[in-house]
mmCIF file of all heavy atoms in Angstrom:
data_model
loop_
_atom_site.group_PDB
_atom_site.id
_atom_site.type_symbol
_atom_site.label_atom_id
_atom_site.label_comp_id
_atom_site.label_asym_id
_atom_site.label_seq_id
_atom_site.Cartn_x
_atom_site.Cartn_y
_atom_site.Cartn_z
ATOM 1 N N MET A 4 -143.321 -252.646 -121.329
ATOM 2 C CA MET A 4 -144.035 -251.441 -120.865
ATOM 3 C C MET A 4 -145.540 -251.620 -121.036
ATOM 4 O O MET A 4 -145.990 -252.100 -122.082
ATOM 5 C CB MET A 4 -143.540 -250.268 -121.723
ATOM 6 C CG MET A 4 -144.114 -248.965 -121.276
ATOM 7 S SD MET A 4 -143.215 -247.574 -121.982
ATOM 8 C CE MET A 4 -144.377 -246.295 -121.699
ATOM 9 N N LEU A 65 -136.397 -219.480 -116.898
ATOM 10 C CA LEU A 65 -137.415 -219.652 -115.854
ATOM 11 C C LEU A 65 -136.787 -219.958 -114.488
ATOM 12 O O LEU A 65 -137.480 -220.355 -113.554
ATOM 13 C CB LEU A 65 -138.368 -220.783 -116.246
ATOM 14 C CG LEU A 65 -139.041 -220.607 -117.609
ATOM 15 C CD1 LEU A 65 -139.879 -221.831 -117.949
ATOM 16 C CD2 LEU A 65 -139.915 -219.349 -117.631
ATOM 17 N N PRO A 67 -134.149 -218.747 -111.284
ATOM 18 C CA PRO A 67 -133.384 -217.671 -110.665
ATOM 19 C C PRO A 67 -131.941 -218.142 -110.411
ATOM 20 O O PRO A 67 -131.648 -219.331 -110.575
ATOM 21 C CB PRO A 67 -134.104 -217.459 -109.337
ATOM 22 C CG PRO A 67 -134.654 -218.804 -108.999
ATOM 23 C CD PRO A 67 -134.948 -219.498 -110.291
ATOM 24 N N LYS A 83 -122.375 -236.077 -120.290
ATOM 25 C CA LYS A 83 -121.075 -236.762 -120.193
ATOM 26 C C LYS A 83 -121.163 -238.008 -119.319
ATOM 27 O O LYS A 83 -120.680 -239.068 -119.670
ATOM 28 C CB LYS A 83 -120.041 -235.786 -119.573
ATOM 29 C CG LYS A 83 -119.196 -235.068 -120.629
ATOM 30 C CD LYS A 83 -118.034 -234.339 -119.939
ATOM 31 C CE LYS A 83 -118.124 -232.865 -120.294
ATOM 32 N NZ LYS A 83 -117.859 -231.990 -119.188
ATOM 33 N N SER A 173 -144.912 -218.961 -66.385
ATOM 34 C CA SER A 173 -145.635 -218.679 -65.143
ATOM 35 C C SER A 173 -145.780 -219.920 -64.278
ATOM 36 O O SER A 173 -145.843 -219.820 -63.051
ATOM 37 C CB SER A 173 -147.009 -218.077 -65.456
ATOM 38 O OG SER A 173 -146.824 -216.745 -65.845
ATOM 39 N N LEU A 231 -152.757 -220.933 -53.466
ATOM 40 C CA LEU A 231 -154.184 -221.002 -53.794
ATOM 41 C C LEU A 231 -154.335 -220.724 -55.274
ATOM 42 O O LEU A 231 -153.826 -219.709 -55.768
ATOM 43 C CB LEU A 231 -154.962 -219.939 -53.015
ATOM 44 C CG LEU A 231 -155.048 -220.158 -51.518
ATOM 45 C CD1 LEU A 231 -155.775 -219.008 -50.853
ATOM 46 C CD2 LEU A 231 -155.782 -221.455 -51.250
ATOM 47 N N ALA A 237 -159.207 -227.948 -69.628
ATOM 48 C CA ALA A 237 -159.926 -228.260 -70.869
ATOM 49 C C ALA A 237 -159.308 -229.506 -71.495
ATOM 50 O O ALA A 237 -158.104 -229.740 -71.349
ATOM 51 C CB ALA A 237 -159.826 -227.084 -71.821
ATOM 52 N N LYS A 265 -158.874 -209.491 -46.132
ATOM 53 C CA LYS A 265 -158.638 -208.191 -45.523
ATOM 54 C C LYS A 265 -159.876 -207.308 -45.685
ATOM 55 O O LYS A 265 -160.307 -206.647 -44.745
ATOM 56 C CB LYS A 265 -157.451 -207.527 -46.220
ATOM 57 C CG LYS A 265 -156.502 -206.854 -45.305
ATOM 58 C CD LYS A 265 -155.325 -206.414 -46.140
ATOM 59 C CE LYS A 265 -154.262 -205.740 -45.358
ATOM 60 N NZ LYS A 265 -153.129 -205.437 -46.213
ATOM 61 N N ALA A 274 -168.872 -202.621 -40.071
ATOM 62 C CA ALA A 274 -170.198 -203.012 -39.580
ATOM 63 C C ALA A 274 -170.254 -202.819 -38.068
ATOM 64 O O ALA A 274 -171.233 -202.313 -37.526
ATOM 65 C CB ALA A 274 -170.475 -204.466 -39.956
ATOM 66 N N LEU A 297 -187.246 -201.801 -15.099
ATOM 67 C CA LEU A 297 -186.526 -201.756 -13.820
ATOM 68 C C LEU A 297 -187.326 -200.996 -12.767
ATOM 69 O O LEU A 297 -187.386 -201.399 -11.603
ATOM 70 C CB LEU A 297 -185.129 -201.146 -14.006
ATOM 71 C CG LEU A 297 -184.187 -202.028 -14.845
ATOM 72 C CD1 LEU A 297 -182.853 -201.346 -15.091
ATOM 73 C CD2 LEU A 297 -183.971 -203.389 -14.171
ATOM 74 N N VAL A 304 -191.347 -205.009 -6.039
ATOM 75 C CA VAL A 304 -190.621 -205.512 -4.874
ATOM 76 C C VAL A 304 -191.022 -204.705 -3.631
ATOM 77 O O VAL A 304 -191.277 -205.275 -2.567
ATOM 78 C CB VAL A 304 -189.092 -205.456 -5.113
ATOM 79 C CG1 VAL A 304 -188.336 -205.798 -3.842
ATOM 80 C CG2 VAL A 304 -188.715 -206.418 -6.237
ATOM 81 N N ASN A 305 -191.124 -203.363 -3.797
ATOM 82 C CA ASN A 305 -191.575 -202.528 -2.673
ATOM 83 C C ASN A 305 -192.932 -202.972 -2.174
ATOM 84 O O ASN A 305 -193.159 -203.123 -0.971
ATOM 85 C CB ASN A 305 -191.676 -201.057 -3.108
ATOM 86 C CG ASN A 305 -190.285 -200.435 -3.147
ATOM 87 O OD1 ASN A 305 -189.365 -200.970 -2.513
ATOM 88 N ND2 ASN A 305 -190.133 -199.344 -3.867
ATOM 89 N N ARG A 325 -196.840 -212.876 -3.584
ATOM 90 C CA ARG A 325 -196.304 -213.816 -4.565
ATOM 91 C C ARG A 325 -196.490 -213.280 -5.991
ATOM 92 O O ARG A 325 -195.586 -213.314 -6.819
ATOM 93 C CB ARG A 325 -197.023 -215.181 -4.431
ATOM 94 C CG ARG A 325 -196.155 -216.184 -3.720
ATOM 95 C CD ARG A 325 -196.796 -217.555 -3.714
ATOM 96 N NE ARG A 325 -196.740 -218.085 -2.358
ATOM 97 C CZ ARG A 325 -197.777 -218.247 -1.572
ATOM 98 N NH1 ARG A 325 -198.988 -217.963 -2.006
ATOM 99 N NH2 ARG A 325 -197.624 -218.718 -0.351
ATOM 100 N N ALA A 332 -190.183 -210.619 -11.290
ATOM 101 C CA ALA A 332 -189.310 -211.544 -12.016
ATOM 102 C C ALA A 332 -189.522 -211.395 -13.518
ATOM 103 O O ALA A 332 -188.571 -211.372 -14.303
ATOM 104 C CB ALA A 332 -189.605 -212.975 -11.573
ATOM 105 N N LYS A 351 -168.234 -207.147 -30.793
ATOM 106 C CA LYS A 351 -167.300 -207.182 -31.920
ATOM 107 C C LYS A 351 -167.117 -208.640 -32.306
ATOM 108 O O LYS A 351 -166.816 -209.492 -31.486
ATOM 109 C CB LYS A 351 -165.971 -206.579 -31.467
ATOM 110 C CG LYS A 351 -164.817 -206.813 -32.384
ATOM 111 C CD LYS A 351 -164.593 -205.581 -33.239
ATOM 112 C CE LYS A 351 -163.383 -205.736 -34.134
ATOM 113 N NZ LYS A 351 -163.514 -206.746 -35.148
ATOM 114 N N VAL A 381 -196.467 -194.453 -34.922
ATOM 115 C CA VAL A 381 -196.159 -195.147 -36.181
ATOM 116 C C VAL A 381 -196.899 -196.480 -36.223
ATOM 117 O O VAL A 381 -196.842 -197.262 -35.284
ATOM 118 C CB VAL A 381 -194.636 -195.410 -36.294
ATOM 119 C CG1 VAL A 381 -194.344 -196.274 -37.507
ATOM 120 C CG2 VAL A 381 -193.877 -194.097 -36.376
ATOM 121 N N ALA A 430 -190.677 -214.923 -50.731
ATOM 122 C CA ALA A 430 -189.810 -215.858 -51.460
ATOM 123 C C ALA A 430 -190.008 -215.554 -52.933
ATOM 124 O O ALA A 430 -191.126 -215.317 -53.375
ATOM 125 C CB ALA A 430 -190.227 -217.288 -51.154
ATOM 126 N N GLY A 465 -176.194 -186.398 -39.027
ATOM 127 C CA GLY A 465 -176.003 -187.678 -39.730
ATOM 128 C C GLY A 465 -174.554 -187.884 -40.136
ATOM 129 O O GLY A 465 -173.803 -186.939 -40.332
ATOM 130 N N ALA A 493 -190.294 -193.584 -48.950
ATOM 131 C CA ALA A 493 -189.167 -194.247 -49.606
ATOM 132 C C ALA A 493 -189.343 -195.747 -49.460
ATOM 133 O O ALA A 493 -189.935 -196.222 -48.487
ATOM 134 C CB ALA A 493 -187.864 -193.807 -48.958
ATOM 135 N N HIS A 509 -186.419 -228.140 -49.704
ATOM 136 C CA HIS A 509 -185.146 -228.832 -49.503
ATOM 137 C C HIS A 509 -185.199 -229.788 -48.333
ATOM 138 O O HIS A 509 -185.851 -229.532 -47.361
ATOM 139 C CB HIS A 509 -184.030 -227.815 -49.259
ATOM 140 C CG HIS A 509 -183.797 -226.996 -50.483
ATOM 141 N ND1 HIS A 509 -184.115 -225.692 -50.563
ATOM 142 C CD2 HIS A 509 -183.329 -227.339 -51.690
ATOM 143 C CE1 HIS A 509 -183.826 -225.240 -51.758
ATOM 144 N NE2 HIS A 509 -183.352 -226.232 -52.459
#
Side-chain angles (χ1 to χ4, degrees):
M4 185 165 163
L65 304 176
K83 263 191 238 138
S173 285
L231 291 177
K265 223 173 181 176
L297 293 176
V304 172
N305 282 340
R325 257 186 228 110
K351 167 99 177 66
V381 173
H509 294 110

